[in-house]
Amino acid sequence: MKLKPEVRQDRPSTRRVQGIRGRVQLFSIKSSPFTITMSLRVLVGVKRVIDYAVKIRVRPDKLGVVTDGVKHSMNPFDEIAIEEAVRLKEKKIAKEVVAISCGPTQAQETIRTALAMGADRGIHVEIPAKEVEKLEPLHVAKIMAKLVEQEKADLVVLGKQAIDDDSNATAQMTAALLDWPQATFASKIEKTDGELQVTREVDGGLEIIKVKLPAVVSADLRLNEPRYATLPNIMKAKKKKIAKMKAADLGVDTSPHFEVLDVADPPVREAGIKVEDVDTLVTKLKDAGRI
Amino acid sequence: MTQVADTRQAPPGMMLASLWGGIALISSPKEDKESFSSSQSLPYWSTGSFHQSTTTMSQKSQVIQLYKNLLYLGREYPMGYEYFREKLKNAFLKNRNETDPRRITEMIARGEYVIKEIEALYMLRKYRTLKRRYYDTEDANKQATN
């Protein structure tokens, strides 16, 4: 009888060993058929962004948008990520959900919302208000990677993209830094033995993949419907802890790699012109230099 | 205020009308006196208690908690927080002379039903906006019209 090697065992001491030429995989023999891990620690990243319903205006200096006095809330895709993590906890697949946010002091409100939705504790990586705009997905990914190592997490769930910068990069970069498999644009997550079966929403339709744990997942719109954090839940969440730290404490340098040159409104769509017959159409097209 | 709520969503009007119908139901006890005779069956929402535990709180504190919850929910209301607050206050004030505890329990249950409706409204609004913003392409619109 052939003995099946199991690549990853869910014990922190045998998780990863960094060899000289890359990671050395530890093989161990399955001793019992019931190796389903019911004790995942899930890290969820949440971002404080301008509320989705607010009409955005470009700043006079044309280097950003107006954020002072504007309503902010949690990124909608991050709400979906938190909801998924909390549902995993309710199904007893995860044992702890940690909400992480990198941002200014007000990001704590976002973490409180995450705690009200069901997360167990929060981590706030404080970024000074002036540097918040220049924080890039790569910085956040480095911070997440460091926190994963510190917290010994098994699963990272992030929102697909932030509605303010639409980078769609943090989940992918985090997976690359950790050398973990990634399941992006997840619209359904199921757990099977030591793996996740994820349905991804791609341009061509739906793709079902299996990723081994630990893994990074990015949440798409149709993954679930997030619950609303009602007032009683927010009151209960005040007892939960939020740890505070700075990016420098984690050894991450947040100096920018990009410089924003210009921010402008999209061009106003011009009204269409109706013509009576094809000849007029051709004349007008010729006048406009299109033919 | 520098922000303007984007109220061009389709159609919160329908849901809002049913919402205020729900709140109007709460606010008209006298008209409903006949409908609450024991011969008629109670509506489905009057049995459950979604958000508040009715065992430990007095009815007065339950009503106050319901009011606070609705007020908290109304901050994101598409037609404005002030509009919502005014309507909510009027709806609660109309019933301030109610004394029958059974009827008060039903009204509280109806209030919790309205909370669920508002949550559903917000969820739908957010989903539709995001879907329109990120998933509906111009090609899809052209295909739909052709």
Side-chain angles (χ1 to χ4, degrees):
Chain A
M1 188 173 70
K2 205 175 180 188
L3 292 163
K4 282 191 227 168
E6 183 178 299
V7 174
R8 288 193 205 282
Q9 243 195 3
D10 192 48
R11 276 180 294 154
S13 56
T14 59
R15 167 135 311 111
R16 257 182 80 209
V17 174
Q18 196 70 28
I20 299 167
R21 288 219 191 90
R23 188 170 36 88
V24 173
Q25 287 182 346
L26 291 174
F27 290 90
S28 69
I29 299 161
K30 262 192 196 176
S31 53
S32 87
F34 300 106
T35 50
I36 301 168
T37 53
M38 291 297 201
S39 55
L40 297 182
R41 175 174 286 137
V42 185
L43 295 195
V44 184
V46 297
K47 185 178 179 186
R48 176 180 180 263
V49 298
I50 296 179
D51 191 69
Y52 80 98
V54 167
K55 205 150 169 56
I56 305 171
R57 291 184 331 182
V58 179
R59 272 203 322 244
D61 64 2
K62 295 230 163 201
L63 289 174
V65 297
V66 176
T67 53
D68 291 333
V70 175
K71 182 173 183 220
H72 285 71
S73 58
M74 195 193 292
N75 183 29
F77 292 107
D78 295 341
E79 286 176 3
I80 298 174
I82 285 268
E83 174 68 23
E84 192 59 29
V86 171
R87 284 192 193 184
L88 286 176
K89 198 174 80 159
E90 286 167 359
K91 285 187 220 162
K92 307 261 195 274
I93 296 172
K95 74 163 186 273
E96 197 186 20
V97 175
V98 185
I100 300 170
S101 187
C102 308
T105 324
Q106 298 97 320
Q108 286 187 32
E109 292 163 19
T110 314
I111 300 180
R112 292 248 173 257
T113 313
L115 294 173
M117 286 171 76
D120 296 302
R121 57 189 168 91
I123 298 177
H124 176 218
V125 180
E126 177 109 32
I127 311 278
K130 292 187 298 276
E131 289 175 30
V132 167
E133 250 187 34
K134 303 204 175 67
L135 195 67
E136 293 161 15
L138 184 57
H139 302 143
V140 178
K142 285 181 182 171
I143 291 172
M144 289 295 298
K146 273 279 161 22
L147 283 169
V148 160
E149 281 170 29
Q150 266 187 15
E151 303 284 329
K152 300 196 182 27
D154 307 293
L155 181 62
V156 177
V157 188
L158 301 169
K160 172 175 88 155
Q161 61 196 72
I163 58 172
D164 54 2
D165 60 8
D166 288 325
S167 298
N168 197 334
T170 312
Q172 291 85 338
M173 285 180 179
T174 311
L177 288 169
L178 291 167
D179 203 13
W180 281 9
Q182 56 181 278
T184 49
F185 319 126
S187 68
K188 194 167 166 194
I189 301 177
E190 284 155 347
K191 190 160 183 312
T192 57
D193 276 355
E195 300 179 334
L196 286 179
Q197 185 168 302
V198 177
T199 308
R200 304 179 59 219
E201 227 176 277
V202 294
D203 287 343
L206 295 175
E207 183 189 52
I208 303 180
I209 60 169
K210 263 193 192 169
V211 284
K212 294 198 174 90
L213 286 168
V216 176
V217 178
S218 85
D220 206 339
L221 186 63
R222 281 166 268 268
L223 183 57
N224 56 46
E225 290 108 42
R227 62 196 69 184
Y228 196 85
T230 54
L231 191 60
N233 293 340
I234 299 234
M235 288 297 152
K236 279 184 225 160
K238 285 198 173 169
K239 297 178 207 154
K240 298 182 185 172
K241 290 202 185 128
I242 300 182
K244 293 186 213 353
M245 55 184 78
K246 296 203 174 63
D249 299 341
L250 297 165
V252 174
D253 174 28
T254 53
S255 45
H257 305 162
F258 299 116
E259 187 195 335
V260 174
L261 297 176
D262 180 51
V263 174
D265 278 311
V268 179
R269 204 169 144 241
E270 285 171 12
I273 312 167
K274 277 192 181 164
V275 294
E276 276 140 16
D277 55 11
V278 181
D279 291 332
T280 329
L281 173 65
V282 172
T283 324
K284 280 210 188 285
L285 284 171
K286 277 193 181 157
D287 289 341
R290 301 285 189 167
I291 307 182
Chain B
M1 294 231 293
T2 54
Q3 72 203 50
V4 174
D6 184 9
T7 52
R8 287 171 292 134
Q9 311 302 324
M14 262 166 48
M15 283 215 87
L16 295 184
S18 67
L19 256 181
W20 292 120
I23 292 199
L25 278 177
I26 300 176
S27 65
S28 54
K30 297 223 173 92
E31 290 82 340
D32 284 338
K33 213 168 187 173
E34 296 78 28
S35 68
F36 281 108
S37 56
S38 51
S39 58
Q40 284 195 354
S41 60
L42 297 170
Y44 71 92
W45 61 64
S46 68
T47 47
S49 166
F50 304 116
H51 292 271
Q52 297 157 202
S53 116
T54 45
T55 48
T56 51
M57 298 165 79
S58 73
Q59 280 208 325
K60 181 177 175 185
S61 46
Q62 275 176 46
V63 171
I64 294 176
Q65 188 61 46
L66 177 69
Y67 185 79
K68 284 184 187 168
N69 291 349
L70 277 164
L71 213 55
Y72 184 78
L73 265 184
R75 296 174 315 158
E76 273 182 64
Y77 201 66
M79 289 170 74
Y81 175 60
E82 283 308 320
Y83 173 86
F84 183 90
R85 202 174 134 263
E86 211 184 294
K87 286 254 171 171
L88 179 69
K89 202 168 178 190
N90 290 339
F92 270 68
L93 279 178
K94 273 191 193 169
N95 291 339
R96 65 177 179 273
N97 295 323
E98 186 62 54
T99 49
D100 181 11
R102 194 168 141 257
R103 307 245 340 230
I104 294 178
T105 316
E106 277 152 15
M107 286 186 214
I108 293 173
R110 258 196 300 221
E112 292 179 353
Y113 174 71
V114 170
I115 290 182
K116 285 266 165 186
E117 289 275 293
I118 297 177
E119 285 178 9
L121 168 77
Y122 290 166
M123 190 266 289
L124 266 179
R125 197 168 147 254
K126 191 176 277 194
Y127 177 81
R128 282 180 187 154
T129 315
L130 290 176
K131 184 163 177 293
R132 209 175 296 136
R133 219 178 266 178
Y134 287 108
Y135 297 89
D136 288 348
T137 59
E138 275 184 52
D139 297 331
N141 289 339
K142 277 188 205 154
Q143 278 171 18
T145 51
N146 281 352

